[in-house]
Amino acid sequence: MKLPAEDINCPVLLEKYREYFDFAEIFWEATFPLLGDKAVVGIGNNTSFNTCICGAFAKQMRLYYGIVKLCRSGLSHESSVLLRTMFYTSTYLLALSKSDDKQKFAKLWLAWNFAIDDRNYKGLSQIKNPQNVSLVNDELDKSLDEFKKTLPDGKWKDFVAHGPPMSNFMDFCKSLKSGENSFEASYLTLFRACSSVAHGSDLLFYAQPDDNGITCQLSPADEDIDKIILTAAILLRDACVLTHDLLNLRKEDAKKEILVLFETHKDLRIKTNEISENN
């Protein structure tokens, strides 16, 4: 299974963006010492907290890997969906690190998983079932009933919809700061740009009409490969630093190596251009 012109376009984009793909590989290798070799993590934290941080870190790692793979295949446009998800996770992880009660935030983040399962099960159970088999897990239902009592009055629906912040994501980004900068700017640029791919408001990328007909874009393209790889790397870098600090990993050398990579490669420039005419 291949896209049109895949054998032509992919080698071209791999060569054109070789320094970005090389950086992506070097950076990927530098992240593994953080949690590799059966590292002892989170001494002094409870299991829920450590599970939450490890889960967020592993998710960012897999998303980053997927983004680079898609970019190598000329599917950088589609990789924006994964980059958007990385931004979500990065935002929640930063918020957890700044929370006055980090253990509670982590517990909420994990409980969100079960809350969504509960919503989905109950939605399915409303579908006519000829065997009349309950799709709701009674033990899960009981646990969530107890959990609901720990939330502020009337906040259950907000929690299911928005997770630990229990507020609209844009408002949440406005309230969150990294240093002196609000996350609102990142939301209005990175998040919204990626959202068009996720929501399906990007059809003109895939089909362009002109006087001679309609050209469909199926062949591999290099749209924003440099921006996407560098942005994904920055989000994973931040996840590495926060994970190191929140889990008390005491691997300062590994953390430093990750940060130094961004200094030694700071000459990487944005140079996106289309590699070929649409096919």
Side-chain angles (χ1 to χ4, degrees), residues 18 78-79 96 98 123 126 141 155 174 221:
R18 179 174 299 280
E78 289 73 17
S79 77
L96 185 154
K98 292 178 172 294
Q126 293 173 10
D141 212 27
K155 280 293 185 179
K174 287 181 180 178

Short mmCIF file of all heavy atoms in Angstrom, two decimals, residues 18 78-79 96 98 123 126 141 155 174 221:
data_model
loop_
_atom_site.label_atom_id
_atom_site.label_comp_id
_atom_site.label_asym_id
_atom_site.label_seq_id
_atom_site.Cartn_x
_atom_site.Cartn_y
_atom_site.Cartn_z
N ARG A 18 16.70 16.54 6.47
CA ARG A 18 17.55 15.57 7.15
C ARG A 18 18.00 16.06 8.52
O ARG A 18 17.99 15.30 9.49
CB ARG A 18 18.78 15.26 6.28
CG ARG A 18 19.75 14.28 6.93
CD ARG A 18 20.87 13.88 6.00
NE ARG A 18 20.37 13.22 4.81
CZ ARG A 18 20.01 11.94 4.76
NH1 ARG A 18 20.10 11.20 5.85
NH2 ARG A 18 19.58 11.40 3.64
N GLU A 78 -1.43 15.53 8.73
CA GLU A 78 -2.22 14.67 9.62
C GLU A 78 -1.59 14.55 11.01
O GLU A 78 -2.29 14.34 12.00
CB GLU A 78 -2.38 13.28 8.99
CG GLU A 78 -3.30 13.24 7.79
CD GLU A 78 -2.72 13.86 6.53
OE1 GLU A 78 -1.48 14.05 6.47
OE2 GLU A 78 -3.48 14.14 5.60
N SER A 79 -0.27 14.72 11.09
CA SER A 79 0.39 14.62 12.40
C SER A 79 -0.02 15.75 13.34
O SER A 79 0.20 15.67 14.55
CB SER A 79 1.91 14.62 12.22
OG SER A 79 2.42 15.92 11.96
N LEU A 96 -0.51 20.63 36.70
CA LEU A 96 -0.26 19.76 37.86
C LEU A 96 0.97 20.22 38.62
O LEU A 96 0.97 20.31 39.85
CB LEU A 96 -0.10 18.32 37.39
CG LEU A 96 0.05 17.25 38.47
CD1 LEU A 96 -0.43 15.89 37.94
CD2 LEU A 96 1.48 17.10 38.96
N LYS A 98 2.16 23.10 38.92
CA LYS A 98 1.95 24.37 39.58
C LYS A 98 0.83 24.32 40.63
O LYS A 98 0.57 25.31 41.32
CB LYS A 98 1.60 25.45 38.54
CG LYS A 98 2.76 25.80 37.61
CD LYS A 98 2.34 26.82 36.58
CE LYS A 98 3.52 27.31 35.77
NZ LYS A 98 4.49 28.08 36.57
N GLY A 123 -23.91 5.46 28.09
CA GLY A 123 -24.44 5.81 26.79
C GLY A 123 -24.77 4.58 25.97
O GLY A 123 -25.83 4.51 25.32
N GLN A 126 -27.99 2.61 26.95
CA GLN A 126 -29.28 3.17 26.53
C GLN A 126 -29.70 2.66 25.15
O GLN A 126 -30.85 2.82 24.74
CB GLN A 126 -29.19 4.70 26.51
CG GLN A 126 -29.02 5.31 27.89
CD GLN A 126 -28.76 6.80 27.85
OE1 GLN A 126 -28.88 7.43 26.81
NE2 GLN A 126 -28.41 7.37 28.99
N ASP A 141 -19.20 1.89 38.93
CA ASP A 141 -20.28 2.81 39.25
C ASP A 141 -20.24 3.20 40.73
O ASP A 141 -20.39 4.38 41.09
CB ASP A 141 -21.62 2.15 38.92
CG ASP A 141 -22.68 3.15 38.48
OD1 ASP A 141 -22.30 4.21 37.96
OD2 ASP A 141 -23.86 2.86 38.67
N LYS A 155 -20.28 19.97 39.99
CA LYS A 155 -19.10 20.00 39.12
C LYS A 155 -18.85 18.68 38.38
O LYS A 155 -17.89 18.58 37.61
CB LYS A 155 -17.86 20.34 39.95
CG LYS A 155 -17.69 21.83 40.24
CD LYS A 155 -17.41 22.60 38.95
CE LYS A 155 -17.13 24.05 39.18
NZ LYS A 155 -16.83 24.76 37.91
N LYS A 174 -5.81 30.46 29.44
CA LYS A 174 -5.65 31.87 29.82
C LYS A 174 -5.15 32.02 31.25
O LYS A 174 -4.37 32.92 31.57
CB LYS A 174 -6.98 32.61 29.68
CG LYS A 174 -7.43 32.87 28.25
CD LYS A 174 -8.76 33.62 28.25
CE LYS A 174 -9.23 33.91 26.84
NZ LYS A 174 -10.54 34.61 26.83
N ALA A 221 3.41 15.08 1.26
CA ALA A 221 3.76 16.50 1.21
C ALA A 221 4.60 16.84 2.43
O ALA A 221 4.66 16.08 3.40
CB ALA A 221 2.49 17.34 1.17
#
